[in-house]
Amino acid sequence: MKDFFRSKTFKVIAVLLAAVLAFFLRAVYTGELMPTLSHLGGAVATPVGEFFAGIGRSLEDFFQPILHGRELQKQNEELQALVNELTRRQVDYDELKNQNDLYRQFFSISDSNADYTLEPATVIARVADDPSGSFIINIGQAQGICSGMPVITEDGLVGIVGRVSEQYCRVLTLMDPTVNVGVLDSATLDTGILTGDVSLAADSAARMDYLRLQSEAASGDLIITSGYGGMIPQGLTVGYLSETALAATGLTLEGHVRLSALPENARQVFVITAYTVSRAPAEDPPAGDAP
């Protein structure tokens, strides 16, 4: 130990301690102790602060994509919610517009045919493998719909009700070979039976059978329902006669009728669930015939 106190190392340490002590005593005496400590602390803290600041920047760079991704996800969710709301409003608007169009047609038909009881319906499906263009509407037995009831659009008779379920029914069009409707030529009053024909379906036409040989029915004549059979009222537009020819039997004529109400155009339709036959009042008999 005595050798240590006599060594050069001890002497150097002693000189340094004396210098430091003198420095602090002078700083205390002159009032510069705190600024000096602050300066020393700053000298030490600056590199330490830069070190931790660098770590902070690295962490920020690491987490920034994650935080930014979450922000983008939140924005996307908000945008998707807005799109969903706008889509819902568009659907509501379209539904309301369709209903308005449907009721406009309803009142138009009802005004001109006050004796009809109409049930409005929407076409919800089409039978793809049926060349005659049959389709499904969204009303059925629950709404009083029965097989054989006429189905119309604002363009005229489009078909009749076929198979019926509780809430839906299938509409067989006038081009279906199983459909037979009594019709007449509005110009000549010649009657016949309209029936579907597969060979005419591609041209949106049907065949009018049993025209009398002497008929003067001509191309362009309006063909309407005759009311024959009692299921379909008289006067519904069917289409226009395009041509006539001698039937295969040679006993009658047959004509081709271009249909007015095309199945492919049907979106909103009406089923006539009931109607009243309007009859003109009987004329008074001549005075000479009075009893």
Side-chain angles (χ1 to χ4, degrees):
M1 182 62 95
K2 292 180 180 181
D3 293 337
F4 172 74
F5 288 116
R6 293 176 180 176
S7 65
K8 292 182 179 181
T9 301
F10 174 75
K11 292 178 181 179
V12 171
I13 293 174
V15 171
L16 291 175
L17 290 174
V20 171
L21 179 61
F23 174 79
F24 277 101
L25 288 175
R26 181 179 179 281
V28 171
Y29 179 76
T30 59
E32 296 180 356
L33 177 61
M34 294 308 296
T36 301
L37 290 177
S38 175
H39 178 73
L40 290 174
V44 175
T46 298
V48 175
E50 290 180 353
F51 172 75
F52 284 106
I55 294 177
R57 286 192 294 271
S58 298
L59 291 175
E60 182 179 359
D61 293 339
F62 176 78
F63 286 106
Q64 183 65 25
I66 299 176
L67 296 175
H68 187 60
R70 290 178 179 175
E71 182 179 353
L72 287 177
Q73 181 180 1
K74 182 179 179 181
Q75 292 177 355
N76 288 337
E77 291 175 352
E78 292 174 350
L79 289 174
Q80 186 60 50
L82 179 59
V83 170
N84 293 341
E85 175 63 19
L86 292 176
T87 301
R88 184 189 63 79
R89 292 183 181 182
Q90 182 64 40
V91 170
D92 291 344
Y93 170 79
D94 291 341
E95 182 178 356
L96 182 60
K97 182 177 180 299
N98 289 335
Q99 288 180 351
N100 288 338
D101 291 342
L102 186 62
Y103 290 134
R104 176 183 58 79
Q105 296 176 27
F106 177 87
F107 288 121
S108 174
I109 294 173
S110 295
D111 287 344
S112 59
N113 303 278
D115 55 351
Y116 293 174
T117 300
L118 302 175
E119 188 67 38
T122 300
V123 177
I124 58 174
R126 299 183 186 277
V127 183
D129 59 350
D130 183 4
S132 64
S134 61
F135 53 87
I136 309 299
I137 58 177
N138 63 342
I139 56 176
Q141 295 173 352
Q143 291 76 32
I145 305 303
C146 299
S147 178
M149 288 181 172
V151 181
I152 63 174
T153 71
E154 59 184 345
D155 296 320
L157 182 68
V158 70
I160 63 172
V161 175
R163 188 171 62 252
V164 185
S165 64
E166 185 67 18
Q167 297 293 339
Y168 309 98
C169 67
R170 179 171 177 171
V171 176
L172 304 177
T173 73
L174 299 181
M175 294 181 288
D176 192 305
T178 65
V179 174
N180 297 286
V181 177
V183 294
L184 63 83
D185 186 311
S186 63
T188 65
L189 299 184
D190 287 317
T191 61
I193 300 296
L194 188 83
T195 187
D197 189 321
V198 175
S199 65
L200 300 176
D203 297 326
S204 299
R207 191 178 71 247
M208 183 176 177
D209 292 331
Y210 307 117
L211 273 170
R212 64 189 180 93
L213 283 174
Q214 298 79 14
S215 172
E216 297 181 359
S219 177
D221 287 355
L222 174 65
I223 305 301
I224 61 176
T225 55
S226 65
Y228 176 75
M231 286 294 293
I232 299 176
Q234 181 180 344
L236 295 176
T237 298
V238 171
Y240 294 88
L241 194 64
S242 61
E243 60 180 276
T244 60
L246 186 66
T249 62
L251 301 177
T252 60
L253 298 177
E254 67 177 39
H256 295 173
V257 179
R258 298 188 319 277
L259 303 176
S260 296
L262 303 182
E264 61 268 27
N265 295 337
R267 299 292 184 274
Q268 309 289 333
V269 301
F270 301 90
V271 178
I272 301 178
T273 58
Y275 68 95
T276 302
V277 177
S278 299
R279 301 183 183 275
E283 296 182 358
D284 294 333
D289 296 338

